[in-house]
Amino acid sequence: MARTPKEMYLGLSQGEWPDYVMGMPKPEESYSAMVGPFPLFMPAGMSFGGPPSGPPPKGFTDLWGVPHEADDITGIAIPKPGAFILEDIVHWDRYIKNPPMPEDFDWEAFTKDQLKDIDREQKLVSVMFSMQAPFQQIISFTGFTEGLAAMYEEPEAFEELLDYLLSYYLPIVEKCVEYYKPDMLSIPDDTASRYAPFFSVEAYRKFFKPYYAKLAKAMTDRGGIVTFHNCGKCEAFVEDMIDFGVKYWNPAQTDNDLVSIIQKHWQADGFVCCGGWDFVPELGKEVTEEIVRQSVRDSIDKYAPHGGYVFTGGYLGTQDNRETAQQINSWVGDEVRTYGSTFYSKKSII
């Protein structure tokens, strides 16, 4: 009996080869549905349509009072420079107050409504509980440099603030797992640039790994799967991610040695790299359809033969040129589906 795309996708985390290169399905053929209690933590303007879709918001103030604004190039809202709300992390409790949990939020009714049109035989349900996570949330309070300095200069206060944020998020995650009964829990945090992590592995293990592990445990205790979003060259953290239950990493960017990671951790640990395509047009060179399609084929040729791989990527472009980005992404999706559909039947498995 033929496996459904959902079964193949989940099977990757059990070391099972898919029938074709997965990733970039047409919207009407999607094998996943992203859900979450967005009203609890996304103020008006922060949601990309909830679940994320459509153009990025130009600005908003998050639930902790941090103003965000979009730049003129990308159009993506980030914490507003110079408008940070926490100057001294030692006194974090004077300035940071977790949002109150609505007493009348009806979890059963809300989740039932979100799930009512989802065919769970065909689609895996993925809960995304937050657009922010510990490192990103703290630097949104303090600014980037000040947040990193606070980690090393005032570690006790830094840990206290992390614990306080966890006291807000963990009950939400536990409710999500209880009521959605999801196939996946998606945890996000960006802890690296394209060249290196923002801090050491020791700092990761001291401050952030325990936080992620507590969120993940709410899912793994029920036999569910954890997917982790982390941009940049964060391969130094892969074994820790595996340790607290991560099965799918996205976007696994090409600054990391993805081939070695897949070879070492896919069949041994059920660890799947979702990414492998970071397209940057050459300056002064026209971006043609063939250039884009060849870049997709090159990525599939490099990573897919090793098995634990899902093609994941998208071209954002600039705010004033969204039509070009849409065209490029349409070529990308079509090439993944066309070239990837017969890849495993035509290629030798390495």
Side-chain angles (χ1 to χ4, degrees), residues 110-329:
F110 184 84
T111 55
K112 184 177 180 180
D113 183 66
Q114 272 198 327
L115 295 170
K116 67 179 187 299
D117 296 323
I118 299 174
D119 181 355
R120 300 197 65 158
E121 292 294 321
Q122 300 296 322
K123 290 192 176 186
L124 63 89
V125 171
S126 177
V127 164
M128 184 181 72
F129 74 92
S130 170
M131 290 297 288
Q132 290 284 48
F135 177 69
Q136 289 178 276
Q137 188 70 67
I138 289 181
I139 64 171
S140 78
F141 295 154
T142 64
F144 195 88
T145 302
E146 291 77 6
L148 287 175
M151 186 189 306
Y152 290 94
E153 293 177 355
E154 301 292 347
E156 290 184 5
F158 197 92
E159 284 187 280
E160 288 175 1
L161 182 50
L162 281 172
D163 288 341
Y164 182 68
L165 294 175
L166 185 66
S167 72
Y168 173 70
Y169 280 125
L170 184 55
I172 294 176
V173 170
E174 290 172 339
K175 290 291 186 182
C176 285
V177 172
E178 178 183 355
Y179 284 95
Y180 285 108
K181 296 179 175 55
D183 300 290
M184 286 185 170
L185 171 69
S186 177
I187 301 175
D189 211 1
D190 287 331
T191 57
S193 73
R194 66 172 297 185
Y195 303 108
F198 295 133
F199 39 75
S200 67
V201 171
E202 290 74 20
Y204 183 90
R205 291 173 179 169
K206 176 179 176 60
F207 296 111
F208 302 108
K209 183 179 178 179
Y211 185 111
Y212 306 139
K214 289 175 183 176
L215 295 178
K217 190 174 186 296
M219 186 66 179
T220 56
D221 276 356
R222 294 187 177 224
I225 290 174
V226 174
T227 177
F228 198 93
H229 170 96
N230 200 344
C231 295
K233 188 178 175 63
C234 55
E235 60 189 354
F237 305 145
V238 163
E239 292 193 4
D240 291 289
M241 291 161 59
I242 292 170
D243 192 40
F244 62 79
V246 175
K247 293 296 186 182
Y248 296 82
W249 166 34
N250 74 80
Q253 294 185 288
T254 56
D255 301 307
N256 302 278
D257 187 354
L258 300 184
V259 170
S260 293
I261 291 169
I262 294 169
Q263 289 177 333
K264 182 177 181 180
H265 294 295
W266 174 46
Q267 298 237 319
D269 303 299
F271 187 75
V272 181
C273 291
C274 306
W277 188 80
D278 302 312
F279 182 72
V280 179
E282 293 185 39
L283 289 175
K285 189 172 183 178
E286 180 185 2
V287 180
T288 66
E289 179 175 354
E290 179 52 32
I291 287 174
V292 173
R293 289 182 180 274
Q294 185 60 52
S295 73
V296 173
R297 294 192 290 269
D298 290 344
S299 291
I300 290 175
D301 286 344
K302 183 173 184 179
Y303 301 116
H306 307 283
Y309 173 69
V310 175
F311 185 103
T312 305
Y315 180 70
L316 179 62
T318 58
Q319 186 178 10
D320 61 354
N321 199 14
R322 296 294 186 212
E323 290 184 1
T324 297
Q326 291 174 355
Q327 179 62 77
I328 289 174
N329 287 325

Side-chain angles (χ1 to χ4, degrees), residues 46-121:
M46 185 178 179
S47 171
F48 286 21
S53 63
K58 294 182 178 180
F60 59 87
T61 298
D62 75 12
L63 300 185
W64 285 264
V66 179
H68 289 60
E69 66 177 12
D71 62 30
D72 295 331
I73 299 175
T74 66
I76 296 176
I78 61 173
K80 185 177 180 180
F84 302 110
I85 65 174
L86 181 58
E87 293 184 3
D88 185 352
I89 200 166
V90 171
H91 302 299
W92 66 265
D93 55 334
R94 298 180 186 177
Y95 304 97
I96 307 302
K97 303 297 179 184
N98 279 339
M101 187 69 66
E103 295 181 0
D104 59 348
F105 190 78
D106 189 335
W107 279 94
E108 185 173 3
F110 184 84
T111 55
K112 184 177 180 180
D113 183 66
Q114 272 198 327
L115 295 170
K116 67 179 187 299
D117 296 323
I118 299 174
D119 181 355
R120 300 197 65 158
E121 292 294 321

